[in-house]
Amino acid sequence: MVDPRYDIAFRLYPYERVADQAGPARRHPVVIVGGGPIGMATALDLGRRGTPVLVLDDHEGVGQGSRAICFAKRTLEIADRLGCGQVLRDKGVVWNVGKVFHGEEKVFEFNLLPEEGHANPAFINLQQPYLERFLVEAIRREQDEGAPIKIRGRNAVTAMEQRADHLLLEVETPDGPYQVEADWLVACDGARSPLRGMMGLGFEGRVFEDNFLIADVKMKADFPTERWFWFEPPFKDAGASALLHKQPDDIWRIDFQLGWNIDREKELKEENIRARVDAMLGPDVPYELEWTSIYTFQCRRMKQFRHGRVLFAGDAAHQVSPFGARGANSGIQDADNLAWKLDLVVRGLAPEALLDSYSEERSFGADENILNSTRATDFLTPKSEVSQLFRNAVLTLAREHAFARPLVNSGRLSVPCTYDGLPLNGPDALPGGPARSRVGAPCVDAPLGEGFLLSRLTGRFTLLAIGAPVPEMSEVEGITIESLHLDPKQDDPTGALRDRYLGEADKALYLIRPDQHVAARWASAEAEEVRAALQTAIAKGA
C-alpha cells in the first residue's frame, strides 16, 4: 500500500490500475521517478520530441505549501519553449525591482532587468503548486496531440536493479507491487532521493547552522510588487534578517531568520508566528496564516549526476539555500540540458558520452549556485565579530556610494549558467562579438520586427544568420538543422540584436543548441565547419 506523505493541493494524476501490473515487466525507453517540476518539465520536453517517457510518482498530484515561489527569466524562457510560459506569466506576480534595508533605513534598490527588449521579466512570483499544475496541464495538451507521455500516480519505486542494458524497478501501488524495465532512468525524487539511497551514493556539502521561519500570509496590502530584504530588521523578534515577497491570490511570503538553537515546536505555534508577523505588519492589519514552515538549509551536491543508466536532476542531484532562488530554477535548467541529449541518445543519433556532458555541465552550474549561495549565507550570518563589522560597514557605505553596493549580498538572484571551456563548445570565431553571447552562453532575447528572438528558436539545432550567408545543409548525422535568417536592417528595429549578437562585427553565424545555448559562432562558415561544430556539440568531436 502506498500511503501519502503529505496533503495534496491539486489532484492531477489519480491512481489507475494499468495492464502492465498484471503481466511481465514492460520495457520503457525513459522512466522518470518523481512528479515535481523537474520531473514534469523533463517529461514534457522528451514527449514533445517524440521520445516515450513514463513518470512514476508516489502521490496523485501536487503537495500543499508554496515552497519555491521565485521563477527567473530563464525558467520562463524554457517554459515558453515548452508551451506553458504565458499561463505562468498570467498567474504570476511580475517583478524586477528589489530593495535592501538595514534596520529602518533603505540602503539602496536595484533593477534586475533595466534594459528593454525582452519578452520575459526578470522574475515572477508564483507558488510552486501552480507551476507543477501548469506543467501537467501542458503535458495533457501534448498527450491529446499524441505525445508519448504517461503519468502514474501512487506508483512508488521501492527497489532498483541495474542490468547490462537496462534497469529493473520494483513499483508499489495500492493494488500491490509490479515491475517496470527502463532503458534510462531520470531521478527527480527530491533532496532525500530514495533512489540515491538505494544506490548508496553520497551527497556532500555543508549544512548551515541557522533556521528560517516561512509564513505565507493572506492579506490585502498596498506594498509595491518588489523584493524587500532587511538586515537586522527593526521589527520585534524578527531575527537577523527578514524578507517580504508578494505572491498571487493576495498571499505574501515572509521569512524570518531565527538562529540555530531554537525550539522548533515552540516557534511553529500559531501565537508565536503571529507575534512576529504582527510586529512587522502592525497590530491592526488583518491577515490569515496560509502556510508556515521552518527550514534549515544545506549546500550539497553529488559528485556526478550520471551513474550508468541513471541520471539525477534537481534537488536529487544538488541542493542550495533558498536565498537567490537558485533551487527550482537550476533544476529546470537541468531538465532543459538533459532532455535534448537523452532524446538523441535514445534515438541512436548521439553516443552515450553525450550524457556525461549533462553531468559535467550541470555540475558546473551547481558549483556556481553553491558558491553564490554560500557567499550569501556568510554575508547574512557573519561568523565572527570582525565579519559582522565588515558586513555592517559595507551596508553603511552602500547607502551613499555605488561602489559598495555589489558587495551587499542578500542573495545573488538566479541567472543561467554559461558553460565556459566545456567539451561541447565549438569555435568562437567572431572577432568583436559580444561576451554575453559567447560560446557556451544561453542565448539572449532580443526584439525583432515581429516578436522576439527566442520564440524563433524551436528546440532544435539552429543556424542563426545575422547578415551572413548560411551553408546549404538541412541535417548532420541524421539530426535536423533549422536556419533562421535575420537582416539587421529589417529585423532589428531597436538595435538590440546588433548590440547583443554582433557587437563590433558586421555579420555573424551562430550554431544554437536545442537548449538555446551557443554551440559555436563565426563571422561566416562553410558547411564542413558547421558539421564539425555540431559533431562536437553531440559528443562526436575528436
Side-chain angles (χ1 to χ4, degrees):
M1 189 70 174
V2 182
D3 295 322
R5 291 178 290 108
Y6 50 75
D7 294 331
I8 297 296
F10 302 118
R11 191 167 180 255
L12 301 174
Y13 31 90
Y15 171 75
E16 294 181 1
R17 184 176 176 84
V18 295
D20 292 6
Q21 292 171 245
R26 181 185 168 193
R27 182 79 66 93
H28 297 267
V30 179
V31 172
I32 295 173
V33 178
I38 315 309
M40 290 304 181
T42 306
L44 177 57
D45 203 343
L46 284 167
R48 285 168 60 94
R49 296 178 188 280
T51 290
V53 57
L54 169 64
V55 180
L56 301 175
D57 191 67
D58 60 357
H59 282 67
E60 295 181 302
V62 179
Q64 290 185 353
S66 61
R67 292 165 287 153
I69 64 166
C70 296
F71 296 103
K73 180 175 181 287
R74 183 64 196 137
T75 293
L76 297 174
E77 291 166 350
I78 295 167
D80 278 334
R81 182 176 61 76
L82 296 178
C84 57
Q86 188 60 53
V87 69
L88 299 183
R89 287 187 296 274
D90 289 345
K91 182 65 178 178
V93 173
V94 172
W95 66 278
N96 293 315
V97 173
K99 292 178 179 176
V100 176
F101 301 86
H102 188 198
E104 294 182 344
E105 294 189 41
K106 187 177 81 169
V107 178
F108 69 98
E109 64 181 73
F110 56 88
N111 188 337
L112 293 168
L113 192 62
E115 67 179 5
E116 300 292 329
H118 295 264
N120 281 291
F123 277 89
I124 64 167
N125 285 353
L126 179 70
Q127 296 93 325
Q128 183 175 324
Y130 284 116
L131 172 65
E132 295 185 40
R133 191 184 87 184
F134 295 149
L135 284 167
V136 173
E137 289 174 354
I139 287 173
R140 298 304 187 200
R141 291 192 295 272
E142 294 295 333
Q143 288 175 324
D144 291 341
E145 297 296 321
I149 308 171
K150 296 179 180 178
I151 305 173
R152 295 179 186 170
R154 294 189 75 181
N155 276 236
V157 175
T158 56
M160 179 183 66
E161 180 183 332
Q162 299 191 65
R163 298 188 172 179
D165 64 346
H166 69 282
L167 303 158
L168 179 65
L169 307 178
E170 296 285 343
V171 183
E172 186 65 46
T173 76
D175 288 317
Y178 74 109
Q179 294 182 325
V180 170
E181 291 181 350
D183 291 332
W184 298 95
L185 187 146
V186 184
C188 302
D189 53 344
R192 295 183 178 88
S193 182
L195 282 165
R196 194 177 61 230
M198 291 175 201
M199 298 178 71
L201 299 172
F203 200 44
E204 299 175 1
R206 176 181 171 189
V207 178
F208 288 86
E209 295 186 353
D210 216 330
N211 292 285
F212 292 80
L213 170 68
I214 295 175
D216 275 359
V217 172
K218 186 176 182 65
M219 64 178 177
K220 298 289 186 180
D222 57 1
F223 301 124
T225 306
E226 300 169 346
R227 179 187 193 261
W228 285 8
F229 188 95
W230 287 264
F231 292 95
E232 299 178 344
F235 329 116
K236 184 176 184 294
D237 295 328
S241 68
L243 179 67
L244 178 68
H245 262 299
K246 184 179 182 180
Q247 304 175 64
D249 307 325
D250 294 321
I251 305 294
W252 296 77
R253 161 68 59 83
I254 302 174
D255 287 47
F256 297 108
Q257 184 179 350
L258 301 182
W260 181 237
N261 294 313
I262 65 168
D263 183 335
R264 293 173 68 91
E265 184 177 345
K266 176 183 175 183
E267 295 294 350
L268 281 171
K269 289 183 177 179
E270 182 171 339
E271 62 267 26
N272 293 324
I273 295 172
R274 284 188 173 275
R276 295 181 190 276
V277 175
D278 289 346
M280 174 187 256
L281 302 178
D284 300 324
V285 175
Y287 65 86
E288 299 173 19
L289 290 176
E290 285 284 309
W291 181 69
T292 59
S293 180
I294 288 178
Y295 63 88
T296 299
F297 59 83
Q298 307 169 27
C299 286
R300 303 191 294 177
R301 78 166 177 90
M302 302 175 70
K303 285 185 177 180
Q304 297 175 335
F305 297 173
R306 180 191 174 193
H307 291 266
R309 293 183 169 273
V310 183
L311 302 126
F312 289 83
D315 284 352
H318 48 78
Q319 237 186 318
V320 294
S321 80
F323 292 104
R326 292 173 177 268
N329 288 297
S330 178
I332 294 294
Q333 291 169 49
D334 290 349
D336 190 43
N337 186 288
L338 176 58
W340 70 271
K341 295 175 179 178
L342 188 52
D343 170 69
L344 291 180
V345 171
V346 168
R347 291 195 283 138
L349 296 175
E352 291 183 13
L354 183 59
L355 298 177
D356 293 329
S357 78
Y358 161 72
S359 179
E360 187 166 19
E361 290 182 343
R362 294 312 302 155
S363 295
F364 187 85
D367 286 341
E368 183 177 285
N369 285 323
I370 288 171
L371 176 64
N372 279 285
S373 290
T374 301
R375 287 175 173 172
T377 304
D378 289 340
F379 194 85
L380 288 168
T381 57
K383 303 303 184 291
S384 68
E385 185 177 345
V386 171
S387 296
Q388 180 90 18
L389 287 171
F390 170 78
R391 198 277 305 276
N392 289 347
V394 168
L395 291 171
T396 299
L397 284 168
R399 292 172 190 164
E400 301 293 337
H401 302 287
F403 80 87
R405 290 167 190 166
L407 300 175
V408 176
N409 195 336
S410 63
R412 297 280 185 255
L413 288 153
S414 176
V415 294
C417 179
T418 296
Y419 303 129
D420 285 319
L422 296 185
L424 298 192
N425 291 350
D428 195 338
L430 182 64
R436 67 194 297 187
S437 54
R438 65 189 181 274
V439 172
C443 286
V444 187
D445 207 0
L448 304 179
E450 294 184 7
F452 287 83
L453 175 62
L454 293 188
S455 67
R456 306 281 293 276
L457 303 177
T458 61
R460 296 186 177 185
F461 277 99
T462 301
L463 279 171
L464 168 63
I466 306 174
V470 178
E472 291 188 11
M473 52 196 314
S474 59
E475 68 172 45
V476 171
E477 305 280 351
I479 298 172
T480 299
I481 301 179
E482 298 185 348
S483 296
L484 175 58
H485 301 255
L486 297 176
D487 182 341
K489 295 179 180 178
Q490 297 180 6
D491 298 314
D492 186 20
T494 67
L497 184 68
R498 173 174 292 280
D499 177 66
R500 297 169 193 177
Y501 284 89
L502 292 180
E504 299 174 8
D506 294 326
K507 59 183 180 178
L509 181 67
Y510 282 76
L511 177 63
I512 310 299
R513 300 185 344 181
D515 59 2
Q516 299 179 346
H517 280 253
V518 177
R521 65 179 182 176
W522 309 264
S524 62
E526 300 296 329
E528 285 308 308
E529 294 175 280
V530 174
R531 180 181 300 275
L534 190 141
Q535 288 175 325
T536 297
I538 61 170
K540 282 190 175 180

